[in-house]
Amino acid sequence: MTTDGSPSTGSATSLDAAAFDRIEAILRPVDAQLARDYPGDKIGGQPIHTVYVPASAADAALPRQWGAQAVELLDRRVEVFESLDTAGVLPAVRSVLASAPIQDLRLDFEDGYGWRSDDDEDRHARHAGQTLAALAADSSGPSWLGIRSKGLAPHERRRGIRTLELVLDAAGGVPAGFVFTVPKLRAAEQVTAVVALCEEIERAHGLPVGVLRFELQIESPQAIVGSDGTATLARALRLAHGRCTSMHYGTYDYSAACGITSAQQSLAHPVADHAKNVILAAAAQTGVWVSDGSTQVVPTGTPSDVEAAIQRHHGLVTRSLERGFYQGWDMHPGHLATRWAATFAFFRQAMPTAASRVAAYLARQDSGVMDEPATAQALAGVLVRGLDSGAVTELELTNVSASITRAALDGLLARSIGGGAAASSVPVSGM
């Protein structure tokens, strides 16, 4: 056989050309469908978190304010953070909190905003659009931003559409990195409606075709398992026509819908793990990112309450990272300190082993582990995520081996696995 799988000249075979044509006729459309539905993971460029704030609190100064409050918490409870810092990352955490504390910001018009008069929401929508435009123009502002509008249920969808239009009008178009969150997905066909909405807004407002992107929020059991027994969100992704950038787990709505009492609702509950494992499997090799949800426990109250909240959030972020969720929600300025501390520590601790194994793979040397191409890609993915987060530098990688450059890592990630081609370039419009 030749390297592309076709018979080599002179090989002994009893199959004639007609037999191979028959097999090819069956597999060719399958190849096309797999290539379309599973183009490969997008590793580079994913934010480590999404910060949700009520749209009524929209302010271009918000990232700096949150960063300053996070630094204040770090300084006030430095002994707690030092007890958690096993990788010596606190100086780097302090630096990023002072310069670029928020990577992704979502102004919320849904549960975090509530129901207000149409006049009030109209006013907040216009102000939100102006705020997002200002943040997009700020080189130190979030790289990703947008809104969570109201959902697709009959009683709220027209209000949600109006808000989205007003935000975009006030922003003067679609700001760089803009994405809107679609809450409470329950049926795959709802995504068809969201795609139609994007197309209609682009047409009506003279926007470039395909510029609007959205993310799906998984808050209902029906999004995981539909009435027909299939994984609703897997079908939903296929109906998104490339416009869906990510899927976000909604901790509390999902847990409540499964009958979990409020005291037990958590990112670490078995119900959450089941849902998130389905999300991971559905998104694998599609190029759609996944994000964990939030914790409602914030670092306020008595000193012991604050210490417990810091330890809890740090542990939950670390747990998510270990389970393949490289992004999560942050709902309080104090969460930024623990988010960055846990993220930096995770990638810094992973770097030495991952870098040495990638170097050995590139050099085809014995690293003590017989790594396959898929494993080499996973190792490269860890290093790329570490670079993108700022936890490690390319100089640190080339100090391990001169062969480990960003270009070399991107090359590993771009190689085909199982018919899909992974991608690591930073995408447009919030991807």
Side-chain angles (χ1 to χ4, degrees), residues 199-341:
E199 293 171 346
E200 292 297 330
I201 289 179
E202 289 166 356
R203 179 191 57 77
H205 294 262
L207 299 172
V209 174
V211 71
L212 280 176
R213 304 288 186 91
F214 58 85
E215 58 197 15
L216 299 174
Q217 195 162 18
I218 310 305
E219 302 175 86
S220 302
Q222 294 80 21
I224 299 298
V225 181
S227 60
D228 59 357
T230 63
T232 303
L233 70 171
R235 293 192 296 117
L237 289 184
R238 188 171 180 180
L239 297 174
H241 299 300
R243 290 183 185 262
C244 180
T245 63
S246 58
M247 292 190 291
H248 292 228
Y249 176 66
T251 310
Y252 299 100
D253 282 55
Y254 190 93
S255 298
C258 289
I260 308 304
T261 62
S262 58
Q264 303 303 318
Q265 293 172 2
S266 164
L267 294 176
H269 193 280
V271 157
D273 283 339
H274 169 260
K276 291 185 290 185
N277 287 337
V278 175
I279 294 171
L280 278 179
Q285 296 294 296
T286 65
V288 173
W289 290 331
V290 293
S291 173
D292 211 340
S294 63
T295 175
Q296 86 278 41
V297 180
V298 299
T300 59
T302 67
S304 60
D305 289 339
V306 172
E307 179 175 357
I310 291 170
Q311 293 171 338
R312 177 184 176 87
H313 190 241
H314 189 278
L316 287 171
V317 174
T318 301
R319 184 182 190 275
S320 295
L321 291 165
E322 292 171 348
R323 285 157 175 76
F325 283 82
Y326 302 104
Q327 181 179 352
W329 285 15
D330 289 327
M331 310 290 284
H332 185 273
H335 287 159
L336 298 185
T338 37
R339 171 74 59 184
W340 284 104

Side-chain angles (χ1 to χ4, degrees), residues 109-111 113-118 121 150-151 155-157 159-160:
F109 286 92
E110 205 231 357
D111 285 349
Y113 179 80
W115 282 94
R116 310 189 186 207
S117 71
D118 283 340
E121 185 158 342
K150 288 180 169 60
H155 69 283
E156 60 185 347
R157 55 181 172 241
R159 177 64 259 186

